[in-house]
Amino acid sequence: MEHVSLPPLSRVAICGGTHGNEMSGVYMMREMQKQKVHRTESVSITTVLSNPRAVDACRRYMETDLNRCFTDALLSAPITDSTPYELRRARELNAQLGPKGSPEAVDLLCDLHNTTANMGVCLIFYSLDWITLHIYNYIQSKMTSAPVRAIQMDLPISEAYSLESVGKHGIAIEVGPQPTGVIRADIFNMMKEAVDLTLEWLQKLNSGSTFEGGEVEAYTLMKSVDYPRDPTTNDITAAIHPQLQDNDFKLLKPGDPIFLSFSGETVKHEGEELYPLFVNECAYYEKKIAFHLAKKVTLTFPSISVKKED
């Protein structure tokens, strides 16, 4: 692949509390704001508590999931008296950090999340983006406290629905397991290390470092699996099987147990070998998702550096 030269990435937004009960990002925002972290040598940093009402209530959201409000269609829909709070808040964030898809948008938007699933440190990004792949490669090469993996969402940016899609480049940093409403020091420190390494990489890039090309493994989502349900009441009739619980990213083969019914029967995986993600995620019960299934892919990226000024 040919070498890529690009302008400096000088404006970064770090957001937490997009989901108001995911506490690592909430406390990281409060700490960064208390420490008045506004810039490194070459990077100006905007810290944002994305959903303050949900943070105050310690709920994922007040009326609708803020992290599903950033498609082009939703950002441009007319506001009426019945428009949910989170859709209004998405407009404010888009005006502050974007507008999405415009030259004025921040160079990198990093949104911080927790999951109740055993995901370790997981970066989530849209499409093939050399910047986010390099950041992922850098964090993965430097971090020893937890496994570092990535999920690539295969959606056009106009349909990208989450906050990080507002930046010119965007990543969500998802760290778990941590229950909602709870702060764990080990999980907080994993998130802090990932954010610090992201800022370190940006500083090196802007200071003239060249980062060599290479390849990384990532996961792309294939489908979602719902819990078994009672056909009349729609109540779930089984829980995640103990052999699947906490085994995110462990290859699931045909015949492997996935659910254990409340009457004691095992439900087994059928179909192709795939990797389970977000297993038994608390917030996905309402979305009727027990886990996602993904395939592993290898992504190749070029060497990059900042354009030399004439």
Side-chain angles (χ1 to χ4, degrees):
M1 298 177 87
E2 284 189 24
H3 179 82
V4 173
S5 297
L6 68 172
L9 302 172
S10 56
R11 295 166 56 235
V12 176
I14 302 174
C15 305
T18 301
H19 293 135
N21 57 5
E22 296 177 7
M23 305 311 291
S24 299
V26 170
Y27 284 106
M28 185 159 298
M29 288 308 92
R30 288 174 176 164
E31 185 61 21
M32 290 180 83
Q33 288 166 358
K34 191 167 79 177
Q35 303 279 353
K36 297 186 167 50
V37 178
H38 299 312
R39 64 176 304 110
T40 64
E41 285 169 51
S42 65
V43 181
S44 73
I45 302 166
T46 303
T47 52
V48 181
L49 197 63
S50 315
N51 195 337
R53 286 192 196 172
V55 169
D56 287 346
C58 197
R59 290 170 54 176
R60 182 177 173 86
Y61 56 80
M62 300 308 291
E63 295 178 72
T64 193
D65 191 336
L66 177 60
N67 216 33
R68 301 293 182 272
C69 289
F70 293 93
T71 62
D72 286 7
L74 286 173
L75 289 172
S76 58
I79 295 277
T80 67
D81 289 346
S82 62
T83 299
Y85 160 70
E86 275 84 3
L87 273 173
R88 296 169 191 266
R89 180 64 181 146
R91 293 287 176 88
E92 294 172 5
L93 291 165
N94 188 49
Q96 179 185 358
L97 305 174
K100 179 177 174 176
S102 76
E104 292 77 42
V106 293
D107 294 314
L108 177 69
L109 197 159
C110 181
D111 194 26
L112 307 179
H113 289 267
N114 290 120
T115 172
T116 61
N118 189 25
M119 298 277 284
V121 175
C122 187
L123 275 57
I124 303 174
F125 42 77
Y126 290 96
S127 67
L128 279 177
D129 179 336
W130 307 144
I131 299 297
T132 52
L133 287 176
H134 270 280
I135 290 170
Y136 168 44
N137 186 52
Y138 189 76
I139 293 173
Q140 196 177 50
S141 69
K142 298 280 186 184
M143 199 162 168
T144 57
S145 58
V148 181
R149 303 181 183 94
I151 298 170
Q152 186 211 341
M153 307 285 282
D154 204 9
L155 276 177
I157 208 71
S158 62
E159 294 172 30
Y161 48 73
S162 48
L163 173 55
E164 71 271 13
S165 68
V166 169
K168 290 192 187 81
H169 308 276
I171 47 173
I173 299 179
E174 186 87 54
V175 189
Q178 179 171 278
T180 55
V182 170
I183 183 80
R184 283 179 50 159
D186 55 346
I187 300 294
F188 179 89
N189 287 336
M190 287 175 203
M191 183 177 282
K192 183 176 189 308
E193 188 177 356
V195 170
D196 289 347
L197 287 168
T198 300
L199 295 173
E200 182 180 292
W201 182 86
L202 288 168
Q203 181 64 39
K204 288 182 175 181
L205 180 75
N206 290 341
S207 301
S209 294
T210 295
F211 287 93
E212 295 305 321
E215 55 182 39
V216 286
E217 283 187 342
Y219 297 83
T220 60
L221 300 184
M222 301 299 290
K223 59 183 176 181
S224 304
V225 178
D226 189 13
Y227 294 90
R229 292 181 182 273
D230 183 297
T232 48
T233 65
N234 213 29
D235 291 336
I236 68 171
T237 57
I240 295 289
H241 195 280
Q243 283 178 235
L244 176 57
Q245 182 64 50
D246 300 326
N247 279 319
D248 302 71
F249 299 105
K250 184 181 174 188
L251 186 64
L252 198 58
K253 299 175 180 175
D256 285 350
I258 52 174
F259 296 110
L260 185 60
S261 79
F262 303 131
S263 58
E265 290 144 5
T266 295
V267 178
K268 295 179 178 177
H269 176 57
E270 297 173 2
E272 61 186 315
E273 295 186 353
L274 291 167
Y275 294 86
L277 316 179
F278 288 105
V279 174
N280 206 6
E281 162 59 49
C282 169
Y284 288 177
Y285 277 75
E286 67 175 23
K287 300 183 195 297
K288 295 187 164 51
I289 296 171
F291 54 89
H292 292 302
L293 286 170
K295 67 177 181 182
K296 195 186 282 190
V297 293
T298 299
L299 304 175
T300 306
F301 53 90
S303 63
I304 64 168
S305 61
V306 164
K307 281 178 189 158
K308 300 277 193 295
E309 291 182 6
D310 297 328

